[in-house]
Amino acid sequence: EKSTMTLIEKNGYHDSIYINAAKIFQGIHNKKPQDRILVQYGDDSASPLLTFKDEYSQRVSYELAFSALKYQDLLEKILLDSCVYPCQSIPDELTSLLVVMLYDLQDRKFEAREIVDEEEPVAEVRKIEHYLYNFKTKLAAALARCRIKHDALSIEYILPETVRKQEQRALALPLYAWINTLKISLQDVAKSLETKGFQKVESVLGLDHNTYCIDQHCHDVLVFPSSLKEELLNLDLFADYKLLLQ
């Protein structure tokens, strides 16, 4: 099941994740002054009804929504510059889904989504997916023009410098995980981590690659290097809620 999840993540997500990410984005997207609005997002006065299949789906839906938010201005420029937006067949209520799925499409280098296992398909997702993929050449060209204009190797360099610095600081912060002492002891966590190739070090200063240390103030908290997030989430300790990422 875990390997299937990873495969889906690399090649696109389930329909339900796109729908939930779009609902989240609808509520958090940056609202511009009336005289500067070029992309219409429809009515967002009602609270979205979010239904997640599991913790993985919830995490990925929020990550996708906030990634789209971070690049909202760029994604809107791509849609407008490519003349993919506006489109009479796509109502304003689906604009958030359009933006979220465009972010994911460019993140996959405009490659088609591979659906490994199937849940119930969502008509709106398939409609937007088909529409975007039909215009993938125009969208890719619009993105390339934007990168050339900003002399940027990737879209990350188009972000304002203050945002990029914040991201760099966030990525450098170590990861903290609580031990669920109702399910497992510190000693058993240590044994399990050892079998997975992790080595205990004395302090945060010694963290590097597959290492961890015990927090000096809370002895039921472990600290890991920031680069290990995806690897940690695939461990049974996290899947079984014996370790809880802070």
Side-chain angles (χ1 to χ4, degrees), residues 65-81:
F66 276 91
S67 293
L69 175 65
K70 186 167 60 175
Y71 294 102
Q72 179 181 331
D73 286 344
L74 172 63
L75 296 169
E76 289 179 357
K77 286 177 184 175
I78 293 171
L79 288 171
L80 293 165
D81 186 36

Side-chain angles (χ1 to χ4, degrees), residues 72-220:
Q72 179 181 331
D73 286 344
L74 172 63
L75 296 169
E76 289 179 357
K77 286 177 184 175
I78 293 171
L79 288 171
L80 293 165
D81 186 36
S82 62
C83 298
V84 170
Y85 180 92
C87 173
Q88 289 185 342
S89 64
I90 297 178
D92 293 346
E93 287 69 27
L94 291 183
T95 301
S96 287
L97 183 60
L98 184 71
V99 171
V100 164
M101 295 192 73
L102 173 58
Y103 171 80
D104 182 59
L105 182 62
Q106 68 77 33
D107 197 40
R108 300 197 315 270
K109 312 301 182 189
F110 296 94
E111 293 293 329
R113 176 170 62 133
E114 294 182 23
I115 303 171
V116 181
D117 61 341
E118 197 39 60
E119 56 181 6
E120 190 68 28
V122 179
E124 293 88 348
V125 171
R126 301 303 169 94
K127 176 182 178 178
I128 296 296
E129 179 176 41
H130 183 70
Y131 179 72
L132 286 173
Y133 199 70
N134 277 348
F135 291 99
K136 67 172 186 173
T137 303
K138 286 187 174 183
L139 291 165
L143 174 58
R145 286 192 294 271
C146 197
R147 282 175 51 196
I148 291 169
K149 179 182 176 182
H150 290 86
D151 193 21
L153 293 173
S154 64
I155 63 172
E156 288 82 4
Y157 292 94
I158 300 175
L159 290 172
E161 187 177 356
T162 52
V163 176
R164 282 192 281 124
K165 285 183 176 179
Q166 287 173 352
E167 286 204 323
Q168 289 168 0
R169 285 196 294 268
L171 289 173
L173 292 173
L175 301 171
Y176 289 80
W178 292 89
I179 298 172
N180 184 353
T181 53
L182 295 176
K183 288 192 170 187
I184 197 168
S185 66
L186 171 60
Q187 291 75 17
D188 287 338
V189 168
K191 289 178 184 176
S192 179
L193 289 172
E194 187 178 348
T195 63
K196 299 294 184 182
F198 286 83
Q199 181 182 358
K200 180 185 172 186
V201 295
E202 291 304 314
S203 73
V204 173
L205 295 176
L207 292 178
D208 183 36
H209 301 300
N210 282 20
T211 58
Y212 74 95
C213 68
I214 300 173
D215 184 85
Q216 61 175 328
H217 300 296
C218 302
H219 293 164
D220 56 352

